């Protein structure tokens, strides 16, 4: 079984939903909904529109939970509870569409930097609550490795895997574009058998540019071979536009076989 290519674009969360039809026309098997902007699943109007578009295509679906201004590791109690609530609300609605929801870990706020162990504990408690919600909804909530910003948790494969250990309902999303910003693509490739979901996109190793595959510094010939040897599920190509989606898909068909 070959990996299944989906497309996602966080750059388009405020655009009219008609762009989604171009995903199928470009040759993709599915769409990962970034549940923010015009695509929040907890907004009844947005949710109805999304369901109507999905019903008129043959696209498979996965979901990326909202993350803007949320922090699962914050020491600010009301914000922590609201962050957990929004992720769980997304999982609840997403369960009618998919069995995979990607979630972001938290980050160290100025207060969190003074108490990093407490921030870690709050992140773990958030995952226990989210995992219980995910199990009740028959969904796997997949924690994603983060970009090269030192305040973020889970930039290293060991930390990411350790964070979810023993928590029911929680899996792992390996993002190889993010891994490249911290110089750890080889390390994530070594551990790719742990992945329950995968994101790919390119960059030049310094920032999260979301370039088309082949336009950055990741060696996709090596990465594609290593990933497909140990992973057979959905691979979400993240990009900024449909023309770049087409370019990435051409490379995907060459490298992920």
């Amino acid at each position: 079984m070959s990996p299944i290519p989906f497309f996602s674009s966080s750059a388009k969360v405020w655009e009219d939903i008609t762009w989604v039809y171009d995903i199928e026309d470009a040759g993709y098997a599915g769409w990962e909904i970034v549940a923010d902007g015009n695509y929040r699943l907890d907004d009844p109007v947005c949710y109805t529109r999304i369901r109507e578009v999905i019903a008129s295509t043959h696209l498979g679906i996965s979901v990326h939970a909202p993350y803007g201004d949320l922090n699962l590791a914050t020491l600010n109690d009301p914000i922590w509870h609201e962050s957990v609530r929004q992720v769980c609300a997304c999982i609840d609605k997403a369960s009618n569409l998919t069995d995979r929801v990607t979630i972001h870990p938290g980050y160290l706020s100025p207060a969190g930097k003074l108490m990093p162990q407490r921030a870690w504990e709050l992140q773990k408690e958030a995952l226990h609550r989210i995992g219980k919600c995910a199990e009740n909804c028959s969904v796997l909530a997949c924690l994603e490795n983060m970009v090269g910003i030192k305040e973020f948790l889970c930039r290293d494969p060991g930390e990411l895997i350790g964070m979810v250990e023993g928590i029911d309902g929680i899996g792992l999303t390996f993002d190889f574009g993010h891994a490249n910003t911290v110089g750890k693509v080889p390390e994530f490739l070594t551990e790719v058998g742990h992945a329950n979901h995968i994101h790919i996109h390119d960059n030049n190793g310094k920032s999260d540019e979301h370039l088309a595959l082949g336009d950055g510094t990741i060696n996709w010939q090596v990465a594609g071979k290593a990933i497909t040897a140990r992973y057979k599920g959905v691979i979400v190509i993240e990009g900024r536009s449909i023309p770049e989606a087409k370019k990435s898909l051409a490379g995907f068909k060459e490298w992920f076989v």
Side-chain angles (χ1 to χ4, degrees):
M1 175 182 172
S2 298
I4 305 166
F6 281 28
F7 183 70
S8 179
S9 181
S10 59
K12 291 186 173 291
V13 295
W14 292 109
E15 291 193 14
D16 182 84
I17 199 169
T18 52
W19 76 273
V20 173
Y21 293 110
D22 294 332
I23 296 174
E24 189 169 36
D25 291 342
Y28 283 86
W31 169 35
E32 180 155 290
I33 301 167
V34 179
D36 214 335
N38 290 334
Y39 302 90
R40 289 194 66 97
L41 302 185
D42 56 357
D43 182 312
V45 174
C46 294
Y47 185 69
T48 297
R49 189 180 302 119
I50 289 167
R51 291 293 298 266
E52 289 172 350
V53 168
I54 293 171
S56 64
T57 73
H58 297 94
L59 292 170
I61 298 295
S62 58
V63 170
H64 196 307
Y67 53 86
D69 300 321
L70 305 180
N71 185 0
L72 297 177
T74 182
L75 275 63
N76 186 315
D77 193 60
I79 293 176
W80 184 85
H81 279 91
E82 177 61 15
S83 298
V84 173
R85 187 199 70 79
Q86 286 198 30
V87 172
C88 287
C90 176
I91 289 170
D92 178 61
K93 299 301 289 185
S95 66
N96 297 315
L97 309 173
T98 185
D99 65 355
R100 288 290 185 277
V101 177
T102 289
I103 62 175
H104 275 192
Y107 55 91
L108 295 179
S109 66
K113 290 178 181 179
L114 300 176
M115 300 180 66
Q117 182 60 35
R118 180 57 181 155
W120 173 277
E121 291 167 356
L122 286 165
Q123 172 70 73
K124 293 282 282 190
E125 175 59 25
L127 291 178
H128 278 287
R129 297 191 185 198
I130 292 166
K132 184 176 181 180
C133 169
E135 278 204 305
N136 289 339
C137 294
S138 299
V139 166
L140 190 64
C142 298
L143 189 69
E144 182 176 23
N145 60 295
M146 293 310 298
V147 298
I149 297 173
K150 64 181 180 179
E151 286 79 12
F152 273 117
L153 301 178
C154 300
R155 293 172 292 144
D156 176 88
E159 184 182 2
L160 181 70
I161 293 166
M163 182 69 79
V164 308
E165 187 175 6
I167 304 179
D168 294 336
I170 302 294
L172 296 169
T173 293
F174 277 19
D175 186 309
F176 285 92
H178 290 177
N180 198 47
T181 68
V182 293
K184 292 188 179 292
V185 169
E187 290 87 343
F188 276 94
L189 289 174
T190 297
E191 301 292 347
V192 75
H194 291 282
N196 305 103
H197 196 59
I198 286 178
H199 289 171
I200 59 174
H201 46 98
D202 219 333
N203 59 66
N204 289 297
K206 295 181 180 179
S207 63
D208 193 26
E209 298 168 279
H210 281 227
L211 303 178
L213 303 188
D215 283 356
T217 59
I218 297 176
N219 186 331
W220 291 109
Q221 186 170 1
V222 171
K225 183 177 181 180
I227 291 169
T228 54
R230 301 181 66 191
Y231 177 86
K232 305 301 180 184
V234 165
I235 295 181
V236 178
I237 297 172
E238 297 183 312
R240 301 173 297 182
S241 68
I242 293 298
E244 288 187 350
K246 292 177 179 178
K247 180 175 183 178
S248 288
L249 186 59
F252 180 88
K253 291 177 178 179
E254 177 183 352
W255 297 314
F256 288 77
V257 293

